[in-house]
Amino acid sequence: MRSVTSIGGPTVAGLAGAPAALWASAAGMAASGLLALTVRTREARPVPGRVPRLGRQIGEGVRFVLGHPVLRGRPRRASRW
């Protein structure tokens, strides 16, 4: 979606003007919000008595990202923008 907006946004602004691009962006955000409301999944209940450790969860996430060949370069590329 990000690449579509980075290409389509300037195109719409150039063809129809900045106000039309802003309205199109607002409509896209509203549609995204409405579609997010339609998600109906239930989260699993946490195990009673077990408190997750934040540091352990962060470490698990970092190990997963760095261990995945596709995801490994994403944080570096995203931080350059």
Side-chain angles (χ1 to χ4, degrees):
M1 187 64 158
R2 187 174 176 183
S3 61
V4 172
T5 57
S6 65
I7 293 170
T11 304
V12 171
L15 296 175
L22 291 175
W23 279 107
S25 177
M29 292 290 185
S32 177
L34 291 174
L35 288 173
L37 291 174
T38 65
V39 175
R40 300 282 183 213
T41 57
R42 300 269 183 200
E43 290 188 21
R45 291 186 179 262
V47 177
R50 182 172 174 243
V51 178
R53 303 277 183 195
L54 180 61
R56 184 174 291 163
Q57 290 180 338
I58 291 171
E60 183 180 328
V62 169
R63 280 189 299 278
F64 176 78
V65 170
L66 293 178
H68 195 282
V70 175
L71 297 178
R72 190 176 305 133
R74 294 289 297 174
R76 187 173 44 244
R77 285 191 298 270
S79 66
R80 278 190 264 162
W81 177 243

